[in-house]
Amino acid sequence: NIDFHQHSKKTKSREKQVRKQIENRKKAMKRRQNKDDSTEETNQVYPAIEQLHDPHGLASLLLKKVRSTSSKFPFETKLLIINFITRLVGIHNLLLLPLYPFLQKYLTGHQSGVTRLLAYVVQACHPSVPPSDIFCLLKVISNEFITERCTSEQMAVGINSVTAIIKRVNSVLIASDEMDVEGFVRDVSGFSRHKDKSVSVAGKGFTNFIRETRPGLLQGKF
């Protein structure tokens, strides 16, 4: 509540305090309004996709077409189809296992449109996807983008993609024979001290998320 000092002597200091309180209240209300608008917009982004009768059948059919060696789709059209398929998978939590090996072959630093492809990979990940498929994606992204031979932009995008995937499927942080999870976390967290600012910011974002969810995976120096 705003204290208007109605029962106190009016002074310039108190008037300044009241103005400050009013400004803070307006800012808080605006933040809440923006958050509500954002939530409502998110909930209404893909209403048609949410109401599809057979999303799995449609996703399977499109994936079969786009994977076909005989398909003559221009690359930009193929990207649009992949985007749609991964949205279907993410929104409906579909199990479309052939999708993940298919996506992996496009995850190279020299691939055209790779930033968009990484975003599509992220939106195709959800808790029902087998950890083995998520581990494979993480390994490919790490090997192709999160190394010193890559550009700073590629490294930052790679780290941010890994962070986004783990946020969606944080069960992959549990120890597994399929992947050295602790070593992986340690390697990616190490980029929080990288000399390039974009890379270090991405590394710190990853490290902060791990610290909040599985701090036992981090060594004291992180």
Side-chain angles (χ1 to χ4, degrees):
N1 294 332
I2 298 174
D3 182 4
F4 289 97
H5 300 284
Q6 292 176 334
H7 304 291
S8 305
K9 182 179 179 180
K10 299 294 186 293
T11 65
K12 290 184 179 180
S13 176
R14 285 172 178 164
E15 287 179 359
K16 186 176 180 181
Q17 290 176 7
V18 171
R19 286 197 301 271
K20 186 67 174 178
Q21 290 178 62
I22 293 173
E23 289 174 5
N24 290 339
R25 172 63 65 87
K26 288 180 178 178
K27 289 179 181 178
M29 291 177 66
K30 187 174 182 179
R31 284 195 298 268
R32 284 197 295 269
Q33 181 64 46
N34 289 340
K35 183 177 180 180
D36 292 341
D37 291 345
S38 176
T39 301
E40 184 177 353
E41 181 180 349
T42 300
N43 292 336
Q44 298 177 356
V45 170
Y46 310 121
I49 291 181
E50 293 173 357
Q51 297 174 26
L52 285 172
H53 174 65
D54 183 15
H56 191 279
L58 178 58
S60 298
L61 176 64
L62 289 173
L63 180 60
K64 183 178 180 180
K65 287 184 177 295
V66 81
R67 290 175 65 196
S68 173
T69 55
S70 62
S71 65
K72 302 297 183 181
F73 295 118
F75 184 68
E76 283 298 320
T77 303
K78 187 174 288 189
L79 283 179
L80 290 173
I81 296 172
I82 293 173
N83 183 18
F84 183 63
I85 294 171
T86 55
R87 281 183 181 174
L88 284 173
V89 169
I91 290 173
H92 291 279
N93 287 344
L94 304 178
L95 276 180
L96 196 63
L97 299 184
L99 173 64
Y100 303 96
F102 171 71
L103 291 173
Q104 286 178 39
K105 71 178 186 178
Y106 290 102
L107 298 182
T108 67
H110 302 292
Q111 174 65 55
S112 175
V114 71
T115 302
R116 282 182 288 170
L117 283 162
L118 283 168
Y120 304 158
V121 168
V122 171
Q123 67 186 8
C125 295
H126 55 80
S128 298
V129 179
S132 57
D133 289 297
I134 302 297
F135 286 142
C136 288
L137 288 173
L138 294 177
K139 288 176 182 177
V140 170
I141 294 173
S142 176
N143 292 335
E144 293 292 333
F145 298 94
I146 313 178
T147 68
E148 292 293 348
R149 72 173 182 274
C150 298
T151 65
S152 298
E153 181 182 1
Q154 289 174 332
M155 292 165 69
V157 169
I159 295 171
N160 287 333
S161 299
V162 163
T163 305
I165 290 172
I166 294 177
K167 283 183 177 180
R168 284 174 169 255
V169 196
N170 55 33
S171 59
V172 298
L173 295 176
I174 299 173
S176 170
D177 294 334
E178 299 179 73
M179 182 175 177
D180 179 9
V181 175
E182 187 173 345
F184 177 80
V185 168
R186 185 170 58 249
D187 290 344
V188 179
S189 295
F191 287 95
S192 62
R193 301 189 299 271
H194 197 274
K195 61 183 179 181
D196 182 85
K197 185 175 180 180
S198 62
V199 176
S200 66
V201 168
K204 288 173 183 176
F206 174 85
T207 304
N208 289 337
F209 174 72
I210 299 298
R211 186 178 290 116
E212 293 170 0
T213 55
R214 292 293 306 278
L217 293 174
L218 294 172
Q219 295 180 345
K221 59 184 179 181
F222 295 112

